[in-house]
């Protein structure tokens, strides 16, 4: 077997199962799981109908590039959402969820035969796929801590100057997981300038881009920022997904867009990788990308939950309201995130994710330690009940 597999860390949810081993949660309370970023709002009926209507597609092999209709629908959505005109033939690809594509892109982009230019930068804490993709591509991760004192931004000045020429790829996540931080135009400009100077590729993970709280004020995306700055899409690849936007995590449908030269090479890789999207899923995806009403309703429900939950928690947990996404990144009393999560599970039957499980030690600290990630993905009533239980637990532990 590939010896690089031995470098992989246990996934955060395996660590959570290990943490809870031997614990019997309070049987008098119904379980509420806010640890995983899995949307639980109902899948819109029209998407289900499109899936069923597309079942005849099961008789056909799919092509890796996806249908012309699907790529056109993604490009049309990108124009409405980002104000950019993408060429559906060369700048857009459908993918089987952003997770699959984020992993695969590192395998395609890293030249493992070279000793230099094999560093991949990611935020810390981070979506664990970034690290796994890095290690299995034969590259070395460099974790850039996102800390409260700098507003959870990626401070590029903390990257050693002599490291930049070794950097092949930089993962950014905006809105951020777990912090909800959104990159500003100045943030994007700083990153683009570094990419133009040093020649690395930017992989912009924007899978939470449609979960925000002020209608009509969407988070700035990388494609929009690149256009506003007049640089085009050079060395930029953007990843997005229908999972959070349209409540279809089981559909495994997303998109990749950006630099046409990189997209051409990535398509070649994917042709051999065997990652073509089922025609049935393509039919449902076209319906989802073409509709915005269900996304607006989705945002309304998340905004309602944040408005109800944050006032309840503000006196027992320390947090800033996220710019976007559906997470609360909250500092716990006492500073022991694992003990907090274990005690909360045991006494209140509420599951949250210790922040240290999402981060690695870097620059002498684990930037997730002392925080928990709370995913407000369940119903309004369940999230409010979970918040009340957290308040109860924090009061009893004080």
């Amino acid at each position: 077997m590939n010896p690089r597999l031995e470098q992989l860390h246990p996934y955060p949810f395996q660590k959570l199962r290990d943490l809870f081993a031997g614990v019997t949660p309070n049987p008098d309370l119904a379980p509420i799981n806010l640890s995983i970023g899995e949307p639980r709002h109902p899948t819109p009926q029209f998407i289900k109908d499109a899936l069923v209507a597309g079942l005849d597609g099961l008789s056909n092999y799919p092509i890796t590039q996806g249908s012309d209709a699907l790529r056109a629908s993604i490009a049309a959505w990108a124009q409405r959402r980002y104000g950019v005109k993408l060429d559906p033939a060369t700048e857009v690809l459908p993918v089987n969820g952003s997770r699959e594509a984020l992993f695969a892109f590192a395998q395609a982009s890293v030249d493992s035969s070279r000793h230099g230019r094999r560093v991949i930068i990611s935020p810390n804490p981070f979506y664990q796929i970034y690290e796994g993709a890095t290690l299995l591509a034969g590259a070395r991760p460099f974790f850039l801590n996102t800390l409260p004192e700098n507003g959870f931004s990626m401070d590029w000045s903390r990257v050693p100057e002599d490291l930049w020429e070794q950097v092949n790829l930089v993962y950014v996540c905006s809105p951020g997981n777990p912090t909800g931080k959104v990159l500003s135009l100045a943030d994007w400009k700083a990153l683009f300038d570094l990419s133009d100077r040093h020649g690395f590729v930017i992989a912009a993970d924007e899978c939470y881009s449609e979960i925000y709280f002020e209608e009509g004020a969407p988070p700035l995306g990388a494609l929009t920022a690149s256009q506003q700055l007049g640089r085009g899409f050079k060395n930029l690849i953007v990843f997005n997904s229908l999972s959070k936007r349209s409540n279809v995590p089981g559909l495994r449908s997303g998109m990749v867009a950006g630099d046409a030269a990189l997209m051409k090479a990535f398509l070649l890789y994917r042709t051999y990788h065997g990652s073509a999207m089922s025609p049935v899923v393509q039919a449902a995806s076209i319906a989802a990308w073409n509709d915005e009403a269900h996304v607006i309703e989705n945002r309304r429900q998340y905004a309602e939950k944040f408005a109800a939950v944050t006032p309840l928690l503000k006196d027992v947990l320390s947090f800033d309201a996220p710019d976007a996404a559906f997470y609360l990144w909250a500092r716990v009393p006492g500073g022991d995130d694992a003990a907090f999560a274990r005690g909360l599970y045991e006494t209140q039957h509420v599951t949250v994710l210790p922040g240290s499980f999402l981060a690695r030690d870097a620059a002498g600290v684990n930037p997730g330690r002392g925080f928990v990630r709370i995913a407000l993905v369940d119903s309004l009533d369940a999230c409010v009940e979970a918040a009340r239980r957290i308040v109860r637990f924090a009061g009893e532990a004080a």
Side-chain angles (χ1 to χ4, degrees):
M1 299 297 289
N2 187 340
R4 293 172 184 159
L5 289 167
E6 298 177 3
Q7 301 177 50
L8 300 181
H9 290 254
Y11 213 64
F13 303 107
Q14 179 58 54
K15 292 183 179 181
L16 194 63
R17 286 189 287 272
D18 294 343
L19 179 68
F20 291 167
V23 174
T24 301
N26 189 336
D28 297 328
L29 296 172
I32 304 176
N33 188 348
L34 304 181
S35 67
I36 187 169
E38 178 183 52
R40 296 188 201 141
H41 298 170
T43 298
Q45 186 60 45
F46 78 91
I47 298 178
K48 297 179 185 178
D49 292 343
L51 189 74
V52 173
L55 287 175
D56 284 348
L58 291 173
S59 63
N60 303 112
Y61 278 120
I63 62 172
T64 305
Q65 195 174 14
S67 69
D68 291 347
L70 176 55
R71 283 182 280 105
S73 71
I74 293 170
W77 173 77
Q79 184 156 21
R80 295 192 303 272
R81 170 62 175 83
Y82 297 116
V84 299
K85 186 172 179 58
L86 296 172
D87 182 347
T90 62
E91 295 177 324
V92 175
L93 282 176
V95 294
N96 296 311
S98 56
R99 173 176 178 156
E100 174 265 316
L102 286 161
F103 178 87
F105 189 76
Q107 316 314 302
S109 65
V110 172
D111 183 352
S112 60
S113 68
R114 294 175 62 184
H115 291 293
R117 208 152 191 80
R118 287 171 57 185
V119 171
I120 295 180
I121 296 176
S122 85
N124 190 31
F126 59 96
Y127 182 39
Q128 304 293 288
I129 295 303
Y130 307 156
E131 179 187 52
T134 298
L135 295 173
L136 290 174
R140 176 166 62 92
F142 180 89
F143 299 113
L144 189 56
N145 294 342
T146 56
L147 302 163
E149 50 263 36
N150 64 1
F152 300 112
S153 65
M154 295 182 78
D155 182 355
W156 306 112
S157 69
R158 299 190 181 193
V159 179
E161 188 61 33
D162 60 359
L163 186 70
W164 282 115
E165 293 308 314
Q166 301 177 48
V167 175
N168 171 267
L169 181 66
V170 172
Y171 282 115
V172 292
C173 186
S174 179
N177 172 13
T179 64
K181 171 75 173 180
V182 170
L183 273 67
S184 68
L185 186 62
D187 293 329
W188 284 119
K189 184 179 187 306
L191 180 57
F192 292 150
D193 286 349
L194 286 165
S195 173
D196 291 343
R197 190 180 315 143
H198 299 290
F200 60 79
V201 175
I202 300 165
D205 179 358
E206 299 187 359
C207 73
Y208 298 96
S209 68
E210 305 314 287
I211 311 299
Y212 54 91
F213 309 113
E214 184 180 345
E215 201 57 51
L220 177 67
L223 294 172
T224 306
S226 193
Q227 178 171 273
Q228 289 180 359
L229 294 167
R231 68 178 297 278
F233 305 142
K234 181 183 178 183
N235 280 338
L236 173 64
I237 298 291
V238 174
F239 302 75
N240 214 314
S241 167
L242 290 173
S243 295
K244 278 78 174 175
R245 175 188 181 272
S246 298
N247 299 310
V248 287
L251 195 66
R252 309 313 305 136
S253 179
M255 55 80 79
V256 179
D259 185 322
L262 296 177
M263 295 290 284
K264 181 178 180 180
F266 192 37
L267 174 59
L268 175 63
Y269 171 87
R270 297 179 66 75
T271 301
Y272 281 86
H273 186 57
S275 51
M277 181 185 292
S278 163
V280 183
V281 173
Q282 291 190 52
S285 301
I286 291 169
W289 288 117
N290 284 343
D291 182 82
E292 205 63 30
H294 75 287
V295 187
I296 294 171
E297 170 58 18
N298 198 36
R299 279 196 290 273
R300 185 198 65 77
Q301 292 184 55
Y302 283 116
E304 185 178 30
K305 285 186 281 190
F306 272 89
V309 165
T310 54
L312 296 174
L313 294 178
K314 66 181 178 62
D315 292 331
V316 298
L317 300 177
S318 176
F319 56 85
D320 294 321
D323 295 334
F326 50 49
Y327 298 120
L328 275 180
W329 184 237
R331 193 186 296 273
V332 300
D336 190 333
D337 51 302
F340 182 93
R342 194 173 194 270
L344 180 65
Y345 176 71
E346 182 174 20
T347 63
Q348 301 297 328
H349 216 161
V350 172
T351 306
V352 297
L353 189 65
S356 58
F357 291 5
L358 290 167
R360 298 285 179 264
D361 290 347
V365 299
N366 180 314
R369 185 165 291 120
F371 290 84
V372 292
R373 191 186 75 177
I374 304 171
L376 298 184
V377 292
D378 213 324
S379 68
L380 172 63
D381 289 346
C383 289
V384 169
E385 173 61 19
R388 288 173 176 153
R389 294 188 200 175
I390 292 171
V391 171
R392 189 182 312 142
F393 171 70
E396 291 170 351

